[in-house]
Amino acid sequence: MSHKPVLLVIAHGSRDPRHAATVHALVRRVRSLRPGLRVETGFLDFNIPSVHGVLESLAAQGVREVVALPLLLTRAFHAKADIPAVLRDAPPQLRIRQAEVLGPSPLLLSALERRLYEAGLTPADKSSTGVVLASAGSSDPEAIAVIAAIAREWRHTGWCAVRPAFASASLPRTEDAVRELRALGCRRVAVAPYVLAPGFLPDRIARGAAEADILADVLGPAPEVARVLLERYDTARAPMSLAAVGA
């Protein structure tokens, strides 16, 4: 029996069935990259199994160490409040370490570019293409600042321009960023959703991309995303004795 901590991927959950299907596809890719690692999935809302249910089940099976990984791109409300609250209610025999959220990471920029190339761009198009980095949005200033910083960093890799946009809680909207890039003179405009799975807000991003030339897919089970999950797991489990919840 493996003594490695179990990786518990914590997803938000959605009424949209594409959300859970995409989360499960990503988790399958994580398992394929590291066959000896036990990876479980729990949802905060709308889908089963719940995070609490998975933790109860793991404790009943004799598991003692868990790395809980928020399937989130920024450190907003869920990572700072919701998830720690759920983990505090875990069975006391579990030693739980909360891993960092996925972003920012150079691997996620690679995943964004993968999706743009899959949608029809080529590396030769970069200098003439403006990109809208379209995220779900947040009322958390830290999360908004991170998205803006990622856009600035990505611009330096050769794109005509990169503008952040938000589907909720903040401005600009995707359609306004598309028009701004047109006004700047970029020959073509592409929208890159900085979201993990389909759902209500990604659909709003897609509608906002109506005037763009290219709309990339969500990040989903891109191999780079799976690698980020494993990086966060490895960082959190060494050493497990620090910052354990309920230890």
Side-chain angles (χ1 to χ4, degrees):
M1 180 177 170
S2 170
H3 293 292
K4 289 195 286 286
V6 171
L7 170 56
L8 172 58
V9 176
I10 300 180
H12 183 271
S14 170
R15 292 187 178 91
D16 188 322
R18 296 173 299 167
H19 172 89
T22 303
V23 170
H24 290 310
L26 174 58
V27 168
R28 284 195 297 273
R29 190 177 285 273
V30 172
R31 290 185 183 123
S32 74
L33 289 177
R34 194 168 298 180
L37 176 62
R38 181 173 178 182
V39 188
E40 300 291 343
T41 309
F43 295 90
L44 289 173
D45 209 352
F46 302 117
N47 303 100
I48 54 172
S50 68
V51 175
H52 187 73
V54 175
L55 292 170
E56 292 275 358
S57 176
L58 291 173
Q61 294 166 38
V63 170
R64 290 296 172 262
E65 293 190 338
V66 176
V67 169
L69 194 154
L71 198 60
L72 300 166
L73 294 171
T74 56
R75 264 183 53 76
F77 179 77
H78 294 300
K80 293 177 179 178
D82 278 7
I83 292 174
V86 172
L87 298 181
R88 280 194 296 271
D89 283 341
Q93 62 268 45
L94 290 176
R95 296 171 66 234
I96 304 175
R97 183 90 182 270
Q98 182 175 330
E100 287 296 327
V101 297
L102 303 186
S105 165
L107 284 169
L108 294 177
L109 286 181
S110 297
L112 286 165
E113 295 204 354
R114 169 190 292 275
R115 293 303 189 224
L116 285 168
Y117 297 148
E118 288 171 351
L121 288 179
T122 71
D125 295 325
K126 283 184 91 165
S127 62
S128 57
T129 301
V131 180
V132 178
L133 179 69
S135 78
S138 172
S139 56
D140 187 309
E142 179 188 348
I144 297 304
V146 166
I147 300 297
I150 292 169
R152 287 194 299 273
E153 178 187 343
W154 203 16
R155 161 72 183 84
H156 293 310
T157 65
W159 297 102
C160 171
V162 179
R163 291 290 184 273
F166 307 94
S168 69
S170 0
L171 295 173
R173 294 284 179 258
T174 301
E175 52 268 35
D176 298 322
V178 168
R179 290 170 194 140
E180 183 187 348
L181 290 170
R182 288 259 187 251
L184 278 175
C186 297
R187 191 179 309 159
R188 68 182 67 72
V189 176
V191 174
Y194 190 59
V195 293
L196 287 166
F200 176 75
L201 293 177
D203 284 350
R204 183 180 286 175
I205 290 170
R207 289 193 298 273
E211 295 177 26
D213 302 295
I214 295 279
L215 170 62
D217 201 356
V218 299
L219 295 174
E224 296 87 355
V225 179
R227 285 169 57 199
V228 176
L229 264 73
L230 290 171
E231 280 189 359
R232 299 292 182 256
Y233 169 82
D234 290 337
T235 300
R237 67 175 288 225
M240 275 296 292
S241 57
L242 294 179
V245 178

